[in-house]
Every structure is written in C-alpha cells, then in structure tokens.
Amino acid sequence: MDKKLEKISFAGALVTLGIVYGDIGTSPLYVMNALIGDAGKMGNISPDYVIGSISLIFWTLMIITTLKYVVIAMQADNKREGGIFALYALVRKNSKWLIWPALIGGAAILADGTLTPAVTVTSAIEGLKKQHLGPVVFSNSQHNVLIITTVVLLVLFMIQRFGTGVIGKSFGPVMIFWFGFLAVFGIVNLINYPMILKAISPYYAIKILFSPVNKVGIFILGSVFLATTGAEALYSDMGHVGRKNIYATWPLVYGALFLNYLGQGAWVINHAQDDAFKRMSDINPFYEMLPGHWRLFGFVVATLAAIIASQALITGSYTLVDEAIGLKFLPRLVVKHPSNVKNQIYIANVNWILCAVTLGVVWYFQSSQHMEAAYGLAITVTMLMTTVLLSEFLTTKLNRPLALTIATFFGAIETIFLVASLVKFIHGGYLTLLIMLAILYVMWVWYFGNKRREHYERASEYVSLLDYRDQLAELSADEQIPLFTTNLVYMTKIKGNYHIKRNTMYSILDKDPKRAKVYWFVTVNETNVPYESNYTVDMLGTKNIVNVQLYLGFRKDQSVGVYLHQIVDNLVEQGVLEPQVPKYSTMKNRKVGGFKFVIINEQPADLVVSDQLKALDKRLIGGRIYLQNITASPVKWYGLEFSNVVEESTPLFIARRKDEYLVQRGIIHAVGDRQSKHHEL
C-alpha cells in the first residue's frame, strides 16, 4: 500500500471519497422510491410509515455498515487488504469447511456487482426525463434513457485501464460536492417537517415492522437493505485507500446520507396527499424535492455520483478476483498495475465480463424500478458469509463465547434481511442468483478440481531434477539425436529439494527426446517493489542445467526472453557457460545461441485409467484443465509473443493400478509355434 494512504491526510481522504463511497453514497437515488413502491402509492403513505422507514435506514447503517464493517470487520485485514477473500485467508487454517462461506460469499458479491452499475446509473439518468435545457425539453422515453446509460457505462469501463489512483483523484472532488449537495438539500426540506428527526430513535424502527400502516410487514427490510449494500464494497476497497482514511471520512458520509433521507422523508410526508402525487407509485423523491431550477443540476451531479458508485464495485471486483487467484479459487488472469501502488490493479478479463453482464442487465430489466426488485438479494448472502468467517476471526482475538455472541447478533439481523429479500426472487432476484451460481460453479471446479487432481497425483506428480542430471548430460552430448535447439527453456516452478513437475521431464525425455546444449528451468517470482529485477542461478553442479529464479517487481514487464538473453550473456562472460557463437547471424560478436520455449498444456487423458476415477472427480479435473487452457495464455503472461515457442500436450500423471480382471490368453512362441497355458492376473 502507498505509505501516504497509511496516514490520515486530505489527499488520502480525497481518494477515499472517490473510490470507496460511490455505491453506498448513491443509495438516496432509489431507496425511498422502493419504499414508496412497498406502500403501493403515495396516497397510502402516513407520517408514521415514513418516520419508521427512515429509522430503519438509520439503524441499518449504524449496525451493519458502521458497527460490523467499519468498526469490526476492518480490523480483519490481510496485509492491509480487506474483503471476504482476505478474511478467509486469515482464518482458513481454523477449519476446512470455511472454504464454503468464502466461495459462496465471493461469488455473491461479484454477482451483485453487475447490478450496482446498472441500477445506479439508470436511476440517475432517469432524472433527465422531462427536464428543460434551455429550449431543449428531454422526452419521457425510457428507450433514450437506456441508450444514454449504455454510453455512460461503456465509457466508464473503458477508462478503468488508467488505474484507480487517477480515477480516485478525479472523482474525489465530485464526491465532496455530492455529499455536500445531499446534506444541504436534505436540510432544506427537513426544516419543513422537523418532526422527522424522531427517526433517530430505534423505537420507531421496531414499531414500523409491526404497524398496520406497513402493508408488507417484515418484507419492508428488503427495500431498507438497499441503503447499506455498499458496506461490503467499502470493506473490499480498504486496500486501495487505507483503514484510517475510511475512519476519518465515514462519519461525514453517514451524516450526509442520513440528512438526505430525512429531507426526502419530510418531502414525502408534506406531499403524499397532493393531487399531483397521491396516485403515483413510481416516483423519485430525490429529484422531486429539489427546487425546479436545481433539478437539472441535480441530475448532472447524481449521474457523476452514479458513475463513482459503479467504480466502487468495479475496483472491489478487481481486488476480489486478484485475491481469489492467489487463493486458487479462480484461474490465473493477467493482472496489470496502472500505477506504482501495488494494491491498485486492473484485470481486463474481469472488466469486460462485468461490462457485458451489466449492459445485459440494463437492457433486460429496462428500468431502475425493475432492477431494484433484483438488487440486494445476493449481497445479503455475502454479508451472512462474511459474518461466518468473521466469527472465526474474532475467536482468535476474543474469548469464544463473546465472539460467537457478536457473530450471532449480526447473523440474526442479516438472516432477517435475507428472508425479507427473498420476496425479490420472482421479481428479478433469480437473475442475480443465476449469475452467482455461474461464478460459484467456476470457483468450485477450479478449486476442487485441483484438490482432486492432487489427491490422485500426490505420489507421482513431482520428481527431483537431481535424479535426471546424468540423463540430461548424456542427451546433450548424444549427436545421434538431432539438435532441437541451443537453449531449451521451460517455464516451471522448482520447489524445495529441486522438485519439479514430472510432465516437464516427460516432455524432454519421453516425447521424442529434445537434445539441447543447455536446459533452462525458469521460475518467475513477483515481488512487492514496483520495478525490482534480479535473479539467482543454480547450475546443479553441471555445465548444461540451469535453475533460474527470476524476481520481478509487480510493475515490471515479464519479458522473460529479454531477461534470459541478458542472463546468458552474463554467464558466458563469467565463464559459467561456454560461448554459444552461432554459425550464422546478422549481429556481430553474438555469443548467445537460439532459444526455444516449451509451453505444456496438460490433458486429462492417456495415462488416466478411466475406472480409477469417480465420475465427479473426472468432471472436476477435466473442467479445471479446460479452464487452465483457455485463460491467461502463458505466451502472453511471460511476454513470449515474439519468441520461438512450442506448445505441446502432456497427460496427467495419475498413478495407475493393476486390473485384477485382466486375463492372459496365451503367448505364441516363434520356435515350435507353441501356445502357453492361460494365466490369470
């Protein structure tokens, strides 16, 4: 993390406002609209209903966002990173079953992240309807809203590659203005009905759940919950801005949000029985409470804030996916660092998948009111899973009874929210659930496919490179075999005691022996220093086997071919390697011969005995290898686009067992043409 962000500063607070609070900060655009929808229409709304609803919002933000996430969960950081995967990494040693809440919660928050940009941007753009811009009057057409929303979202996803630091500095000032705008117009409307301040009392929050003025009962919490959906993203983005900057800015954000909800509530109470509004069920108090000459300006600011809301989830998704890759929940993807801050990343695959799904959601639901029906269901699942993992973390800091009491308190509240949100399933929540299950399926296949493969291959997957030194030396000197290349390079990880994957040696020795003058085994290690580049060389007591450990900073290009040529030059100058002067070359004084890089793609075939594997294990292992072969091409990952690369397939080395039913029917001898007796094995 940038050291500047470890301390409270104006610059740090500015970036925090620009990155963290977009999602939760734009909830005033749609929460009150959802609550009006629960009442049926404006004419059904009473002061008690509004005061009780806002009281529920206030205490939901207090208990879930402030107490659980800001005060407690943010203590559970993994190398200053937050989020459900970071939390899992802290507690996974406690019990194996904790993998399930981590997978389910991670899939749920990634799924809900596709709805956040859709619902926030659409709800903001809808404020443009019937607005006057000089002589221009915008139509009431929802189709125009969808087109503008699509353009805005496309631009947003296109600028992600520039990095969250740049975006945060650009959006920070806008968010300062946004929260000031919320607070000011909240107060302007609040003074017209000061009794709304009673909502601070928890009495009214409890009362409304059982009051006859609340027609939907406990299910009102499904709409109230929309006010706190950004809490999980706030925790996930902790690594981008620092814990202390969130501590410093959250009280201001909380205050601005609550003041705006109070102002909207006061406006609804004062206008619920107006002839112009009392029959309406789809009305946005945020825009309606603004004076006429301020509405267009409010639309512009709200749209910018909605873009920032989308940004919060997008950057949070990058962090979650990066952590998931590190935990082996997801296949390897190319992670880029657009700035010198390690925690600020960009993953192109994630960006464009989110873009496609988000635009699909926009055009499928057509309006923000329909999106609200699906919004928030998956995030309640994430919050419950976070609570489960948090209970394990708390047991390491507190005594177990107290830890379980805290977890039970939050779990009970979130379970009620989940039950209340289930009513959304038939109104669109099913789509979020389908997206969540698709992500969960990929995680399940990747993680457990690897576990099942390790189960079958544990005994034979790795071999010691030391055991093959003599064979490699003999092969290198065997002139009866055509020279494959001067330098044969395998990008592979060498573990302790020189253990290497068996398929590497299989590729060299068994698949038409590959004769080379020098065999290179290169391991790339990423470091925390942005532009670090150094290496170690281990010759294993030979002249033609080289174990290279390459250490590259997270901002350094992984152009392995370039580095390897330089390493060979150095080793030749030092007398460690013999000169490799090529007979033909366009370069004078060239001392380095040719290179071939071999990329191995594993295939679940050939050496896999079909009846040795259970059907589920076959599906998991095969699915994992399929994902491995379609993601993050090693050629691109290692910067080998302009190198001589050979890709080949090797089988999985799963230990074979003898077939006890195999019967020898006989042997035909060349002499005497006799047949042996039958033998059974």
Side-chain angles (χ1 to χ4, degrees):
M1 179 186 294
D2 190 336
K3 291 183 178 180
K4 293 180 180 179
L5 298 180
E6 294 179 4
K7 299 180 180 180
I8 299 175
S9 65
F10 178 76
L14 195 66
V15 173
T16 302
L17 290 170
I19 293 175
V20 173
Y21 298 115
D23 187 10
I24 202 167
T26 50
S27 56
L29 288 174
Y30 46 80
V31 173
M32 285 302 295
N33 187 25
L35 288 167
I36 292 171
D38 288 340
K41 56 184 179 179
M42 281 279 283
N44 296 338
I45 293 176
S46 66
D48 287 344
Y49 179 82
V50 175
I51 292 172
S53 298
I54 294 177
S55 184
L56 283 172
I57 292 172
F58 176 81
W59 287 102
T60 297
L61 288 171
M62 178 64 73
I63 295 172
I64 300 297
T65 309
T66 307
L67 187 57
K68 178 188 171 182
Y69 281 99
V70 176
V71 176
I72 298 177
M74 286 180 60
Q75 299 301 314
D77 67 288
N78 183 12
K79 297 178 182 178
R80 298 189 178 92
E81 286 288 356
I84 192 167
F85 290 147
L87 180 56
Y88 167 74
L90 293 174
V91 301
R92 59 178 168 176
K93 293 182 179 179
N94 294 15
S95 183
K96 291 182 178 180
W97 68 269
L98 293 174
I99 182 66
W100 287 108
L103 291 177
I104 295 170
I109 192 172
L110 287 172
D112 211 70
T114 62
L115 273 174
T116 297
V119 70
T120 53
V121 175
T122 304
S123 60
I125 299 299
E126 285 174 343
L128 191 61
K129 290 181 177 181
K130 298 182 179 180
Q131 293 297 319
H132 294 259
L133 183 58
V136 179
V137 179
F138 292 97
S139 72
N140 199 35
S141 171
Q142 187 65 24
H143 184 73
N144 292 340
V145 169
L146 294 176
I147 292 175
I148 297 173
T149 299
T150 300
V151 172
V152 170
L153 289 172
L154 280 174
V155 172
L156 174 64
F157 282 106
M158 290 174 66
I159 65 174
Q160 293 303 309
R161 63 190 180 91
F162 296 111
T164 55
V166 174
I167 295 171
K169 291 176 183 177
S170 302
F171 286 170
V174 176
M175 291 305 290
I176 291 177
F177 193 86
W178 168 250
F179 288 117
F181 186 87
L182 291 179
V184 168
F185 283 98
I187 294 172
V188 167
N189 286 273
L190 164 63
I191 59 179
N192 294 324
Y193 193 84
M195 292 295 290
I196 194 75
L197 289 170
K198 293 192 298 182
I200 297 175
S201 170
Y203 167 78
Y204 294 97
I206 298 172
K207 179 182 177 182
I208 192 61
L209 293 175
F210 308 99
S211 173
V213 301
N214 172 20
K215 305 299 182 182
V216 295
I218 193 175
F219 293 108
I220 193 176
L221 293 175
S223 297
V224 170
F225 186 76
L226 297 177
T228 192
T229 53
E232 190 73 36
L234 181 151
Y235 179 36
S236 298
D237 277 326
M238 180 172 66
H240 292 79
V241 299
R243 181 191 298 122
K244 292 182 180 179
N245 285 310
I246 294 178
Y247 287 160
T249 54
W250 169 242
L252 301 176
V253 172
Y254 188 6
L257 290 173
F258 185 53
L259 284 172
N260 195 262
Y261 284 123
L262 289 172
Q264 289 191 45
W267 182 90
V268 170
I269 291 173
N270 287 331
H271 296 85
Q273 301 305 319
D274 289 1
D275 290 336
F277 301 114
K278 66 180 181 180
R279 294 179 181 83
M280 297 180 65
S281 59
D282 182 11
I283 184 172
N284 194 330
F286 172 80
Y287 286 115
E288 295 296 338
M289 73 174 184
L290 299 177
H293 57 284
W294 280 100
R295 288 188 185 180
L296 185 59
F297 182 77
F299 156 76
V300 174
V301 180
T303 300
L304 292 175
I307 292 172
I308 297 169
S310 305
Q311 179 62 48
L313 262 293
I314 294 169
T315 54
S317 296
Y318 296 155
T319 302
L320 283 168
V321 170
D322 190 37
E323 291 172 346
I325 294 170
L327 293 168
K328 297 183 179 179
F329 290 170
L330 287 173
R332 185 172 63 186
L333 300 172
V334 177
V335 178
K336 296 182 179 180
H337 300 270
S339 69
N340 288 338
V341 181
K342 186 178 192 302
N343 305 76
Q344 296 182 1
I345 62 177
Y346 168 71
I347 306 177
N349 304 74
V350 175
N351 186 67
W352 295 114
I353 290 173
L354 278 175
C355 179
V357 176
T358 300
L359 292 178
V361 168
V362 168
W363 286 92
Y364 178 77
F365 285 109
Q366 300 282 309
S367 71
S368 63
Q369 186 180 30
H370 294 151
M371 295 177 202
E372 289 161 11
Y375 192 40
L377 176 59
I379 207 69
T380 58
V381 176
T382 300
M383 288 186 173
L384 267 173
M385 298 302 104
T386 299
T387 297
V388 172
L389 296 174
L390 194 60
S391 67
E392 290 292 326
F393 172 79
L394 291 175
T395 57
T396 64
K397 303 295 182 181
L398 308 169
N399 61 70
R400 180 166 287 273
L402 179 57
L404 292 178
T405 299
I406 294 173
T408 301
F409 171 71
F410 290 120
I413 293 174
E414 288 162 356
T415 299
I416 295 173
F417 275 117
L418 177 61
V419 172
S421 297
L422 286 176
V423 73
K424 296 182 176 183
F425 180 82
I426 59 174
H427 298 293
Y430 59 85
L431 183 62
T432 311
L433 184 61
L434 287 175
I435 297 172
M436 183 188 81
L437 290 176
I439 298 170
L440 182 59
Y441 179 75
V442 173
M443 291 181 173
W444 174 68
V445 168
W446 184 257
Y447 182 82
F448 287 100
N450 188 53
K451 290 294 183 183
R452 297 314 298 163
R453 188 180 72 170
E454 289 177 352
H455 171 76
Y456 288 103
E457 297 179 334
R458 193 177 302 277
S460 62
E461 185 178 8
Y462 288 91
V463 295
S464 175
L465 187 57
L466 299 177
D467 295 339
Y468 293 90
R469 286 184 297 182
D470 293 341
Q471 286 195 57
L472 291 176
E474 291 178 15
L475 175 59
S476 184
D478 190 350
E479 295 186 356
Q480 294 182 355
I481 298 176
L483 186 67
F484 186 72
T485 186
T486 303
N487 297 282
L488 183 59
V489 185
Y490 283 84
M491 305 303 303
T492 184
K493 186 176 181 64
I494 295 184
K495 296 188 174 183
N497 298 322
Y498 299 99
H499 276 75
I500 191 172
K501 271 200 170 185
R502 182 186 290 269
N503 60 15
T504 301
M505 302 314 302
Y506 178 86
S507 170
I508 298 173
L509 301 174
D510 294 285
K511 297 192 70 173
D512 292 330
K514 296 179 177 66
R515 179 176 165 236
K517 290 184 178 180
V518 183
Y519 295 94
W520 298 81
F521 303 94
V522 181
T523 304
V524 176
N525 306 282
E526 184 183 283
T527 70
N528 292 327
V529 182
Y531 292 101
E532 180 180 0
S533 58
N534 53 67
Y535 64 93
T536 62
V537 171
D538 186 349
M539 300 297 297
L540 281 74
T542 72
K543 276 286 187 179
N544 73 323
I545 302 175
V546 191
N547 168 22
V548 176
Q549 296 290 327
L550 191 58
Y551 298 90
L552 300 177
F554 62 86
R555 288 216 73 196
K556 199 74 175 176
D557 291 333
Q558 295 196 83
S559 301
V560 174
V562 175
Y563 300 134
L564 208 51
H565 276 77
Q566 187 173 339
I567 292 171
V568 175
D569 276 334
N570 293 340
L571 294 179
V572 170
E573 289 178 4
Q574 296 165 11
V576 177
L577 287 180
E578 296 179 358
Q580 302 176 353
V581 181
K583 186 175 181 180
Y584 304 102
S585 176
T586 59
M587 294 179 286
K588 294 181 179 180
N589 302 319
R590 178 176 173 179
K591 298 179 181 179
V592 179
F595 283 83
K596 277 190 180 179
F597 294 82
V598 178
I599 302 298
I600 296 176
N601 296 318
E602 294 177 320
Q603 301 295 332
D606 296 341
L607 298 186
V608 180
V609 180
S610 59
D611 66 345
Q612 183 181 346
L613 297 176
K614 297 177 182 178
L616 180 59
D617 291 344
K618 277 187 183 181
R619 185 179 298 274
L620 286 172
I621 295 172
R624 186 195 187 280
I625 293 176
Y626 173 76
L627 290 172
Q628 177 180 302
N629 291 338
I630 66 171
T631 55
S633 165
V635 174
K636 186 174 181 180
W637 180 265
Y638 292 117
L640 303 176
E641 293 93 334
F642 303 104
S643 300
N644 190 349
V645 178
V646 176
E647 295 194 54
E648 62 180 39
S649 299
T650 62
L652 290 177
F653 283 85
I654 297 178
R656 291 178 285 181
R657 67 182 184 185
K658 293 183 177 180
D659 189 337
E660 61 186 62
Y661 300 107
L662 181 63
V663 176
Q664 178 180 310
R665 297 183 62 85
I667 301 175
I668 304 300
H669 294 274
V671 180
D673 197 27
R674 293 174 300 164
Q675 183 171 335
S676 70
K677 294 181 180 180
H678 291 236
H679 293 280
E680 293 188 1
L681 299 180

